[in-house]
Amino acid sequence: MFSYVKGLLLALAAVQFVGASTSLTGQYTCVTIGNYELCGNQWGIANGVGSQNATLISASGNDISWSTTYTWADNENDVKTFTNALSNTAKGVQLSAITSAETTYDWYYNTQSSGLRADVSYDIWFGAAESGTAASSSSSYEIMVWLSGLGGIEPGPTETWETYSFIPSTAGTSITSFSADLNVFFKYLTANEGISTALYVQAIQAGTEAFTGSAELTVSLYSVSLSG
Ligand SMILES: *[C@@H]1O[C@H](CO)[C@@H](O)[C@H](O)[C@H]1NC(C)=O
């Protein structure tokens, strides 16, 4: 009897969860769900003309699914937005202590304009303090992993953070189904690039940077976890 009731409640909860797709409009709108915070993050729109929104499709356990629709013009080398899912659990572990950083990122373009300039990427932040907000002064390094970079864009150094990038896709192609242990890249960075193993992973974001063009992108499954 007890387990039957419990099962029924779980089923009802699951139905409610999937049914409640949430739309994000506005420049810095976010929603916290499960282990993630999904954010529109339209930080660069002063350099462009257009609009964008994001939709939370579902979240369950350590998995999240979402989509975004946008159209942006002007200043083709400037990022307009970084719609992303930030993990609220994969953070606060020292690089020396991490044993694995497993992730899956499955996504596709429902539609894309010709000449679209956009990437699909991870944006990961290392810093001396155990916790720190992504893209803030608490971080010392920005680590990007690009699964796709269309239209001739490529990751470049920023003035604010020392940036390292890993591009497993080749120019103009995309990896639309990505599963990997990010700790392999972290270990490469500490062994070869002088990054201290005493630093912490402060934030792992995964999303899409839009430069110019129109697209509708669906992230069918994203997850990340840190062990250590
Ligand atoms: C979402 O953004 C797209 C692209 O800018 C726009 O065409 C659409 O009307 C927007 N939808 C909502 C609900 O704001």
Side-chain angles (χ1 to χ4, degrees):
M1 177 61 187
F2 176 75
S3 63
Y4 170 75
V5 170
K6 203 171 145 195
L8 186 65
L9 286 177
L10 282 175
L12 286 174
V15 167
Q16 263 185 346
F17 229 42
V18 172
S21 82
T22 307
S23 230
L24 303 179
T25 55
Q27 192 173 9
Y28 291 110
T29 312
C30 300
V31 61
T32 298
I33 184 124
N35 291 347
Y36 299 94
E37 185 178 21
L38 177 67
C39 288
N41 194 4
Q42 305 185 356
W43 65 271
I45 56 174
N47 298 320
V49 174
S51 66
Q52 182 161 1
N53 44 65
T55 302
L56 170 68
I57 298 170
S58 66
S60 169
N62 200 38
D63 296 341
I64 186 169
S65 172
W66 55 274
S67 67
T68 185
T69 305
Y70 60 82
T71 177
W72 291 110
D74 290 359
N75 298 306
E76 65 168 19
N77 291 321
D78 292 339
V79 175
K80 310 303 183 295
T81 61
F82 180 51
T83 308
N84 72 90
L86 165 74
S87 172
N88 290 323
T89 57
K91 62 178 187 177
V93 185
Q94 219 161 8
L95 289 169
S96 59
I98 295 174
T99 52
S100 73
E102 294 293 338
T103 186
T104 293
Y105 195 167
D106 295 341
W107 60 276
Y108 55 88
Y109 284 115
N110 306 62
T111 60
Q112 68 188 89
S113 61
S114 80
L116 175 69
R117 289 165 69 84
D119 65 59
V120 174
S121 58
Y122 290 81
D123 211 0
I124 301 166
W125 303 87
F126 294 168
E130 185 173 343
S131 64
T133 305
S136 76
S137 58
S138 59
S139 302
S140 336
Y141 293 96
E142 176 180 25
I143 311 298
M144 295 199 85
V145 177
W146 282 38
L147 304 184
S148 172
L150 300 183
I153 54 170
E154 47 187 59
T158 64
E159 287 161 26
T160 316
W161 300 281
E162 204 166 327
T163 305
Y164 290 93
S165 304
F166 175 55
I167 313 179
S169 64
T170 52
T173 67
S174 299
I175 297 176
T176 56
S177 187
F178 182 72
S179 277
D181 181 354
L182 295 171
N183 198 35
V184 174
F185 186 38
F186 299 168
K187 282 188 155 150
Y188 168 84
L189 291 169
T190 55
N192 299 287
E193 299 294 338
I195 293 181
S196 167
T197 59
L199 296 183
Y200 290 82
V201 172
Q202 294 178 330
I204 300 179
Q205 301 171 299
T208 181
E209 288 184 310
F211 290 65
T212 51
S214 302
E216 199 182 327
L217 177 144
T218 297
V219 176
S220 46
L221 175 64
Y222 173 66
S223 72
V224 65
S225 58
L226 270 188
S227 301

